[in-house]
Amino acid sequence: MIKLLPEDIHIRPIGYVERLSAEENDRNRSLVSKIMVEKEFAKGLDSIEEWSHVYVIFWMHKISDEDKFLIHPGGGRNVGIFATRAPVHPNPIGLTLVELVKRRENTLWVRGLDALHGTPVLDIKPYPDWERGHLIVVTDFKVPMWLAKITK
Amino acid sequence: MIKLLPEDIHIRPIGYVERLSAEENDRNRSLVSKIMVEKEFAKGLDSIEEWSHVYVIFWMHKISDEDKFLIHPGGGRNVGIFATRAPVHPNPIGLTLVELVKRRENTLWVRGLDALHGTPVLDIKPYPDWERGHLIVVTDFKVPMWLAKITK
């Protein structure tokens, strides 16, 4: 299998997160923030308002790139970073499903984006996905016991 | 706002997709494929099998980087690329929610990954997300009319 090197992946922000203030609590998912999409990509947003929800994929530029593989989410033991939503990952990619409130030209207003002011946005995708005549909304799933402990 | 340049984003594959054969139809979501995570990251998978579903974020390395902003999904008119799941995006990032079948050391078996053999994987995140005592599973959403036409 041919392996790609980091320099083979050319990724560029398509826009940036703009919050009302840099002091705002970005963990409060009832807040609305803006995604300022680069003007050159504005056309790519056409008709996006026909969706009520979109995924935002972003680059958590303030996360340190320490190599940490286990994390303690509560519930009494360590689990691997890929088994949590902790931001410390080998690639600090954020993924959040947000409510699309409004679009005007190259600006999106979204509710629920847990990203800091100034966060580079890498991609936007509509929710849900679909395939062969049906929408892919998974409502039958299993989560770990530790999650039940911290969310109850 | 300080803007990041592409060279400021250091992204590296955490692993690669391995299919039974390169000729397999990667659009068939009932098929199981493997994610071979780099051995150095294997510890990060600990306890991942406690989740039944995970998001896989990958780099669609075979997608051309042409600048295309409108697409014709069926239904009679063009819509912006960010309003579709078409793979041609400024950053060809793939996002697929898959069923986690099995983990053994640094290998994951997943069902439903629509990625080619050899695709670099950038991140893996559990599904669903959660916040303050509740799981985030969006079942009340709006989709465009054109989607209803092509999925019916």
Side-chain angles (χ1 to χ4, degrees):
Chain A
M1 193 171 293
I2 297 162
K3 294 207 168 176
L4 268 75
L5 297 170
E7 52 269 33
D8 296 327
I9 297 187
H10 298 285
I11 205 159
R12 48 181 173 170
I14 61 156
Y16 291 84
V17 174
E18 203 173 291
R19 306 199 71 102
L20 266 185
S21 103
E23 283 71 47
E24 207 177 51
N25 177 11
D26 61 290
R27 311 290 301 193
N28 181 343
R29 301 233 180 148
S30 67
L31 297 178
V32 170
S33 52
K34 286 193 283 190
I35 300 174
M36 309 298 294
V37 173
E38 298 292 348
K39 287 209 170 70
E40 58 172 320
F41 301 134
K43 201 85 193 131
L45 298 173
D46 281 4
S47 301
I48 198 167
E49 60 276 11
E50 294 174 16
W51 300 88
S52 61
H53 292 74
V54 295
Y55 285 114
V56 181
I57 299 175
F58 50 99
W59 187 255
M60 296 183 281
H61 62 309
K62 297 286 190 188
I63 297 294
S64 74
D65 59 355
E66 55 176 324
D67 273 348
K68 192 175 176 180
F69 298 119
L70 290 172
I71 225 154
H72 194 288
R77 66 193 169 81
N78 288 326
V79 302
I81 44 159
F82 298 119
T84 78
R85 284 289 188 128
V88 178
H89 270 209
N91 296 309
I93 294 173
L95 170 68
T96 302
L97 180 56
V98 300
E99 184 191 339
L100 182 56
V101 177
K102 189 168 73 172
R103 175 226 171 176
R104 196 136 306 159
E105 292 167 3
N106 64 320
T107 305
L108 296 181
W109 282 259
V110 298
R111 181 176 286 113
L113 183 55
D114 50 348
L116 299 172
H117 181 74
T119 298
V121 173
L122 306 181
D123 204 2
I124 297 166
K125 294 185 188 295
Y127 171 88
D129 197 2
W130 65 90
E131 106 126 8
R132 297 190 202 187
H134 67 274
L135 297 169
I136 301 178
V137 180
V138 173
T139 55
D140 184 15
F141 51 80
K142 185 181 80 174
V143 302
M145 287 292 287
W146 61 257
L147 183 61
K149 284 184 195 163
I150 63 171
T151 56
K152 79 168 171 222
Chain B
M1 194 171 290
I2 298 161
K3 294 206 165 174
L4 268 76
L5 297 169
E7 52 269 32
D8 296 327
I9 297 185
H10 298 285
I11 204 159
R12 48 182 174 170
I14 60 156
Y16 291 85
V17 174
E18 203 173 288
R19 306 199 69 103
L20 267 184
S21 102
E23 283 72 46
E24 205 177 51
N25 176 10
D26 61 291
R27 310 291 301 195
N28 181 343
R29 299 234 181 148
S30 67
L31 297 178
V32 171
S33 52
K34 285 194 284 190
I35 300 174
M36 309 299 293
V37 174
E38 298 292 348
K39 287 208 170 71
E40 55 171 323
F41 301 135
K43 201 84 191 131
L45 299 173
D46 281 4
S47 301
I48 198 166
E49 60 277 10
E50 294 175 16
W51 300 89
S52 61
H53 292 76
V54 294
Y55 286 114
V56 181
I57 299 176
F58 49 100
W59 187 255
M60 295 183 282
H61 62 307
K62 297 285 191 189
I63 296 294
S64 74
D65 58 355
E66 57 175 323
D67 274 348
K68 193 174 177 183
F69 298 118
L70 291 172
I71 225 155
H72 193 288
R77 67 194 167 78
N78 288 327
V79 301
I81 41 159
F82 298 118
T84 78
R85 284 288 188 129
V88 179
H89 271 208
N91 297 309
I93 294 174
L95 170 67
T96 302
L97 180 56
V98 301
E99 184 191 339
L100 180 57
V101 176
K102 189 168 70 170
R103 176 224 170 176
R104 195 136 305 160
E105 291 167 4
N106 64 321
T107 305
L108 295 181
W109 282 258
V110 298
R111 181 174 286 114
L113 183 55
D114 50 348
L116 300 171
H117 182 73
T119 297
V121 173
L122 306 182
D123 205 0
I124 296 166
K125 293 183 189 295
Y127 171 87
D129 197 1
W130 64 91
E131 106 128 7
R132 297 191 202 184
H134 67 272
L135 297 169
I136 301 178
V137 180
V138 174
T139 55
D140 184 16
F141 51 79
K142 186 182 81 175
V143 302
M145 288 292 290
W146 62 257
L147 183 62
K149 284 183 194 165
I150 63 173
T151 56
K152 77 170 174 215

